[in-house]
Amino acid sequence: MATLSQWVAGSRPRTLPASLVPVIVGTGVAIGEGGAVWWRALLAAFVALALQVGVNYSNDYSDGVKGTDEERVGPLRLVGSKVAKPGQVLAAALGCFLAAAVAGLVLAAVTTWWLLLVGALAILAAWFYTGGKTPYGYRALGEVSVFVFFGLVAVVGTVYVQVEGIPWEAWAAAVPVGLLACGLLVANNLRDIPTDEVTGKRTLAVVLGDRWTRILYAACAALPYPIVLAVAAPHPWALLALLSAPLSVPPTQTVLRGATGPELIPVLGGTGRLQLAFGALLAIGLAL
């Protein structure tokens, strides 16, 4: 039986900013529109976190039973390292998905039942990322899914459940949030290129190769800032997000200087801190 600390490590805490930042930014948009509803924002945050932890346990289970996690450089994997039985990790994943579904049901009940379809698609996307016979995460589509669900869907959905409308600011803010979430996955997959190639896991990083994956990471970290400049034309306070730019420098330098293996692990933490700072500052700017 895995210890509590091992279960926490298996939930991949460094990835959690990817679920919280869209809710923070979406709530900033809602405040700016004069329609923030705090209990709905908190419930949206719970849904996002539950889905994130669920997908992490789901990936742990699916990769573990397929044997693609036996030789890893990154953080602990519960099934691959044999500290937890596959059935236990699967149960934890399904429990997280169920919790997200129940909370999402409440939000749908007070807004629109169409949210149930969005929630169902999010859970299916979480499972089939590495689950099933033809996981799309093994076909270089992981970043597309992250951009859609941790960018567009999460930000726009958070705004909608509070103001029951979708202003253009929601879409504009969702794009940089999605790019930074993609950066987190790109950094993770860059680190795992050698082992993923051996196990036949064709992530986008494997398809692009080492050099272009590093360029892709740099683009994900840099492109949010020109978008902020565009948003700032009608919303000058959005320029506050530019204060997070220095946090993008260390992880980008590490990636572009050719770091490999364990040297790339700190990039995940650095990217997470960049996401949180950027998201908080952009939320404040849009709220003002």
Side-chain angles (χ1 to χ4, degrees):
M1 175 67 73
T3 64
L4 177 60
S5 63
Q6 288 173 326
W7 279 106
V8 171
S11 71
R12 309 181 197 180
R14 287 192 178 105
T15 66
L16 298 186
S19 60
L20 287 177
V21 168
V23 179
I24 293 170
V25 172
T27 300
V29 174
I31 294 171
E33 292 294 311
V37 182
W38 292 105
W39 72 267
R40 295 186 187 184
L42 291 173
L43 207 55
F46 177 82
V47 171
L49 279 172
L51 284 174
Q52 177 71 71
V53 176
V55 73
N56 288 343
Y57 284 145
S58 172
N59 293 348
D60 192 310
Y61 166 78
S62 298
D63 284 341
V65 297
K66 290 172 183 173
T68 56
D69 265 354
E70 292 181 359
E71 299 292 335
R72 285 193 58 82
V73 176
L76 174 74
R77 295 295 183 263
L78 296 165
V79 177
S81 60
K82 296 180 173 60
V83 300
K85 294 180 179 180
Q88 294 172 330
V89 178
L90 176 60
L94 295 178
C96 289
F97 292 150
L98 177 60
V102 171
L105 180 62
V106 175
L107 288 173
V110 297
T111 54
T112 174
W113 292 107
W114 282 105
L115 283 181
L116 295 180
L117 176 59
V118 176
L121 290 174
I123 291 174
L124 289 174
W127 173 256
F128 286 106
Y129 175 59
T130 55
K133 294 182 179 180
T134 56
Y136 66 86
Y138 288 15
R139 285 165 173 74
L141 293 174
E143 282 77 4
V144 174
S145 178
V146 165
F147 181 80
V148 170
F149 286 100
F150 289 95
L152 303 182
V153 171
V155 175
V156 173
T158 298
V159 175
Y160 183 82
V161 298
Q162 295 183 70
V163 305
E164 297 190 37
I166 306 176
W168 71 267
E169 290 89 346
W171 295 106
V175 174
V177 169
L179 286 171
L180 289 175
C182 285
L184 196 66
L185 181 59
V186 171
N188 182 80
N189 290 342
L190 171 63
R191 183 199 64 212
D192 292 342
I193 285 177
T195 54
D196 286 343
E197 285 180 327
V198 171
T199 58
K201 187 175 180 180
R202 287 180 58 79
T203 63
L204 182 59
V206 170
V207 172
L208 292 178
D210 185 272
R211 178 173 177 268
W212 284 105
T213 300
R214 295 178 189 276
I215 293 173
L216 177 60
Y217 175 85
C220 288
L223 287 176
Y225 295 100
I227 296 172
V228 166
L229 292 176
V231 173
H235 295 282
W237 283 105
L239 291 174
L240 285 173
L242 299 181
L243 295 176
S244 67
L247 292 177
S248 70
V249 175
T252 301
Q253 285 182 331
T254 300
V255 168
L256 294 181
R257 286 174 179 170
T260 59
E263 297 172 339
L264 286 167
I265 294 176
V267 172
L268 295 177
T271 306
R273 288 187 291 273
L274 171 61
Q275 282 181 295
L276 285 172
F278 179 90
L281 290 167
L282 179 60
I284 293 170
L286 291 174
L288 294 174

